[in-house]
Amino acid sequence: MDLLEVMRGRRSVLRFRPDPIPNEHLEKILEAGRWAPSYANTQPWKFIVVRNPERKKALGAQVERILVFRPGRVALSSPGLGEAPVVIAVVVDPARDPLHHLEAGAAAAQNMALMAHALGYASFWAGVAGRGDVERQIKKLLGVPRSMRMVALLPLGKPAYEPEPKERLPLSEIVVQESMG
Ligand SMILES: Cc1cc2nc3c(=O)[nH]c(=O)nc-3n(C[C@H](O)[C@H](O)[C@H](O)COP(=O)(O)O)c2cc1C
């Protein structure tokens, strides 16, 4: 697939079929994360591959706490974490890069989401960075040291439904020539 086609075609999908992801595909997805850029090539990330059903369910229960004010989404995205065959948790270490660890983790997460889509899998980005107690509880569930930060949880699996098309703001609204001043 053409790169722009992959980028345009990737949609957040919140529910998954249980079909397993072959190791060869999972490795490609993780490899895409490994090749993300980072400040001075510090590579401050760890990618935690979660397959244990109870642990995935527990992650879903934490994400549900974030979505409590968006009732339409609660029913969808928290079970999605439990049913996806694999959840990749992207974690970063500020000790490796005190300045730009979160951006680096975000770049890795997006690389993995794009590769997953190119291989026929769906995902959504559960944004758990900076979510106070939710981030703390997720770190506990995954044995992540307190000094590290969560960036995202990426459930991965075959999509259980066809996502609606989405729009983006036109370039004319977001591109600025030279200066905003
Ligand atoms: C930083 C970030 C945090 C997000 N957090 C959540 C989330 O907690 N739950 C969720 O269902 N989707 C989450 N999303 C997915 C967005 O809602 C989705 O990307 C956006 O609506 C655009 O849709 P698309 O991904 O299908 O293009 C997040 C996306 C980003 C980049």
Side-chain angles (χ1 to χ4, degrees):
M1 261 198 267
D2 167 68
L3 186 54
L4 193 54
E5 197 186 320
V6 176
M7 290 170 171
R8 279 192 180 134
R10 183 212 52 80
R11 286 283 71 74
S12 294
V13 169
L14 305 177
R15 300 296 303 256
F16 304 91
R17 301 207 313 252
D19 320 36
I21 302 184
N23 274 340
E24 166 206 346
H25 283 172
L26 188 57
E27 264 177 34
K28 264 194 160 174
I29 293 167
L30 294 164
E31 185 69 3
R34 186 165 83 95
W35 281 99
S38 59
Y39 179 65
N41 206 17
T42 41
Q43 305 166 67
W45 43 62
K46 296 280 183 197
F47 309 140
I48 306 176
V49 177
V50 184
R51 291 192 178 88
N52 178 284
E54 292 312 314
R55 188 170 281 128
K56 286 185 298 173
K57 247 202 226 157
L59 292 174
Q62 289 304 322
V63 169
E64 183 161 336
R65 292 173 59 203
I66 299 174
L67 297 175
V68 80
F69 297 116
R70 296 158 68 196
R73 306 297 286 278
V74 171
L76 280 174
S77 75
S78 38
L81 279 150
E83 71 196 357
V86 171
V87 176
I88 298 180
V90 180
V91 177
V92 287
D93 186 355
R96 287 186 73 87
D97 170 6
L99 292 176
H100 299 295
H101 47 275
L102 287 177
E103 298 100 301
Q110 179 64 359
N111 267 15
M112 290 194 275
L114 290 173
M115 179 55 80
H117 171 61
L119 292 169
Y121 301 100
S123 69
F124 72 89
W125 179 308
V128 292
R131 295 303 196 122
D133 191 53
V134 170
E135 183 176 353
R136 264 192 300 280
Q137 295 304 325
I138 289 175
K139 280 163 64 173
K140 253 194 215 165
L141 283 169
L142 300 175
V144 174
R146 284 177 62 173
S147 58
M148 292 178 77
R149 296 289 315 276
M150 296 301 309
V151 176
L153 300 175
L154 287 181
L156 299 172
K158 291 286 179 189
Y161 65 94
E162 181 72 31
E164 296 288 319
K166 283 236 172 107
E167 287 300 324
R168 290 294 194 263
L169 297 171
L171 282 180
S172 58
E173 262 187 57
I174 57 182
V175 177
V176 175
Q177 304 294 339
E178 304 294 345
S179 156
M180 290 184 76

